[in-house]
Amino acid sequence: MERSSELFERAKQVLPGGVNSPVRAYRAVGMPPRFISKADGAYIWDVDGKQYIDYVCSWGPMILGHNHPVIRQAVQEAVMNGLSFGAPTQPEVEIAELMTRMVPNIEMVRMVNSGTEAVMSALRLARGATGREKIIKFEGCYHGHSDCMLVKAGSSAMAGGCPDSAGVPAGTAKDTLMAQYNDLDSVQRLFDENPGQVACVIVEPVAANMGVVGPQPGFLEGLRSICDKEGALLIFDEVITGFRLAKGGAQEYFGVRADIVTFGKIIGGGMPVGAYAGSRELMEHVAPCGPVYQAGTLAGNPVAMAAGLAQLRYLDEHPEVYTTIAAGADKLANGMRQAAQAAGAGVQINQVGSLVAPFFTPDTVASFAGAKRSDLKKYAAYFAKMLERGIYLAPAQFEAMFVSFAHTEEDLEKTIAVVKDVFEELSR
Ligand code: KE4
């Protein structure tokens, strides 16, 4: 038996489903997961020694590729001074200063340990600052696993068929209102039905947890004007798009300003980090300045800050990263489209910046309803064939492919060639 399979059998005895995060169990693709032993650049290796070109990139953090020397060195130096103090440190100040300089429209940042915690805290801030209790999210968007966000969530919640998690009290879920991504009328209707009660609208500026679905022209601008009119706050959940679409994330890329921005993934450089940020006036509602409480033992952990700071400094000093990863994704997406056409495969390839996602449907995918029309069995077959041929993709349809600064032209060309073979096989 392969070592992955052996490890999976052991893992299932002591970890629910054998994993620490559901999507990793490969249930949406109906096969046992590969256990990964190491990663470097654009590549990962499983415990059986097989090498893959990696398009999961740890679900987004590894924008520079794995094991980047600058980040590795920063972490190695930081650990020599100790792992955690539970006290203020200089790196926390430096990363917050850098973030407020790189990202428009934010004056203050609070560090936490995950994107989930960032969103949970941002929602509490919005409710605390407005005195209102209801929140609007979009069906199929995923914002981590805090109770009020596990209502018609995307990502592996949806792939696993449980977008409304057990254990979320009805009293909590009732305050989470559901709109449709790219449908401004569905948002305005909720405000009309709940006058003066909506604290905020939270949106993934690019929906990257239903596959990849970009905002239609005017959608984000429309959310901004509805929130202004209704006295609600607009939260951009940039856990994926932050520091990926541009230095300034989606606010810069689309030219739309949010009131609160949440971050994760890239700002940790591969270590556990999340953050939420906004104007000084808003952020000073947060304890110890104001009445909105939030705390955390390892928030701003010096080793995690060292990794995040090294990655953000590199991005700040090398703007060519953004043009390179976007061009790489252009090449990949166009190559996949040509392969689909040549095979008559009826596959849509969506792309925004360095985010790419195939949908196994002949119809354009510009909404959650469109994403749900994708043939999940076809995706599972595609995944297995790609994995067999050394291409490591998200083991679920409702995720994204991430192109990193480490993916070479050769890697992309090899990937396109494999996609061509696989699409032809699937079309037979
Ligand atoms: P974390 O708690 O996983 O750090 O962040 C939650 C989160 C919040 N907001 C957005 C837009 C996100 O995409 C995420 C987490 N993304 C998933 C991948 N779709 C993480 C992978 C997983 O759940 O294992």
Side-chain angles (χ1 to χ4, degrees):
M1 179 190 273
E2 290 179 330
R3 285 207 58 221
S4 267
S5 303
E6 278 169 20
L7 279 169
F8 193 43
E9 290 315 306
R10 282 173 50 194
K12 284 188 285 189
Q13 305 310 310
V14 287
L15 297 166
V19 293
N20 284 311
S21 198
V23 68
R24 304 177 192 171
Y26 281 32
R27 291 202 173 188
V29 291
M31 59 190 289
R34 294 286 187 274
F35 278 60
I36 302 304
S37 61
K38 68 173 185 172
D40 196 65
Y43 314 115
I44 55 173
W45 286 261
D46 68 20
V47 292
D48 293 291
K50 184 168 180 179
Q51 178 179 331
Y52 305 89
I53 302 175
D54 176 25
Y55 289 98
V56 175
C57 297
S58 181
W59 305 98
M62 316 320 286
I63 188 171
L64 299 180
H66 291 285
N67 201 19
H68 192 286
V70 165
I71 297 172
R72 188 177 63 240
Q73 186 184 340
V75 170
Q76 287 168 335
E77 285 170 8
V79 298
M80 300 309 286
N81 296 323
L83 299 181
S84 180
F85 317 126
T89 62
Q90 181 173 332
E92 292 169 84
V93 181
E94 291 172 333
I95 196 169
E97 288 172 339
L98 181 57
M99 288 173 69
T100 53
R101 183 163 58 74
M102 290 173 75
V103 178
N105 196 38
I106 62 171
E107 294 174 308
M108 298 194 102
V109 180
R110 171 54 68 86
M111 291 291 166
V112 293
N113 297 290
S114 69
T116 291
E117 220 186 323
V119 167
M120 180 175 70
S121 309
L123 293 170
R124 186 179 308 131
L125 171 58
R127 286 167 154 161
T130 62
R132 299 177 177 184
E133 296 195 353
K134 294 191 184 297
I135 48 184
I136 292 175
K137 75 175 286 288
F138 294 87
E139 193 175 359
C141 283
Y142 180 72
H143 304 284
H145 64 89
S146 57
D147 275 359
C148 61
M149 287 290 96
L150 282 182
V151 180
K152 294 199 187 307
S155 185
S156 56
M158 183 163 63
C162 56
D164 308 315
S165 171
V168 175
T172 301
K174 73 174 174 45
D175 287 330
T176 301
L177 309 176
M178 205 54 55
Q180 294 306 315
Y181 192 77
N182 276 329
D183 177 353
L184 290 170
D185 291 343
S186 73
V187 178
Q188 186 58 61
R189 224 175 359 260
L190 291 172
F191 276 102
D192 295 344
E193 292 162 1
N194 300 274
Q197 300 170 56
V198 177
C200 61
V201 174
I202 183 167
V203 68
E204 290 182 63
V206 174
N209 286 288
M210 52 172 91
V212 174
V213 177
Q216 294 293 304
F219 176 62
L220 297 177
E221 295 81 352
L223 293 182
R224 179 68 273 167
S225 56
I226 289 172
C227 285
D228 290 342
K229 177 166 59 74
E230 300 287 348
L233 297 175
L234 178 57
I235 300 177
F236 271 9
D237 178 352
E238 295 220 46
V239 168
I240 285 183
T241 58
F243 300 97
R244 173 169 286 280
L245 291 184
K247 266 192 205 181
Q251 290 188 108
E252 175 186 326
Y253 191 81
F254 295 109
V256 177
R257 296 289 182 261
D259 298 299
I260 304 174
V261 186
T262 56
F263 299 98
K265 299 181 194 275
I266 287 173
I267 67 167
M271 299 289 281
V273 179
Y276 58 109
S279 67
R280 178 179 312 284
E281 185 207 356
L282 203 47
M283 292 302 286
E284 287 190 338
H285 282 77
V286 178
C289 300
V292 178
Y293 193 72
Q294 171 263 312
T297 303
L298 294 174
N301 171 271
V303 179
M305 293 295 98
L309 196 49
Q311 179 141 274
L312 294 190
R313 278 178 174 153
Y314 190 95
L315 293 171
D316 187 37
E317 292 157 12
H318 298 82
E320 69 274 17
V321 171
Y322 294 102
T323 48
T324 304
I325 63 178
D330 282 345
K331 180 187 182 82
L332 179 63
N334 291 328
M336 292 175 76
R337 283 188 195 101
Q338 287 157 20
Q341 277 156 5
V347 183
Q348 300 300 314
I349 309 294
N350 281 10
Q351 177 213 347
V352 181
S354 57
L355 300 167
V356 179
F359 293 95
F360 290 81
T361 169
D363 307 319
T364 302
V365 178
S367 67
F368 178 50
K372 286 195 293 185
R373 280 196 288 271
S374 186
D375 182 333
L376 301 187
K377 286 193 170 48
K378 273 240 173 106
Y379 182 87
Y382 157 75
F383 171 85
K385 290 176 182 296
M386 294 291 283
L387 190 72
E388 188 50 42
R389 291 163 174 78
I391 310 295
Y392 189 83
L393 304 173
Q397 166 66 68
F398 303 116
E399 302 292 351
M401 290 174 80
F402 295 90
V403 175
S404 80
F405 195 47
H407 287 100
T408 63
E409 291 291 309
E410 191 186 352
D411 294 326
L412 297 167
E413 281 157 13
K414 177 183 175 188
T415 306
I416 291 165
V418 172
V419 166
K420 190 171 183 308
D421 284 352
V422 169
F423 281 175
E424 282 168 5
E425 269 189 41
L426 290 174
S427 299
R428 281 187 205 123

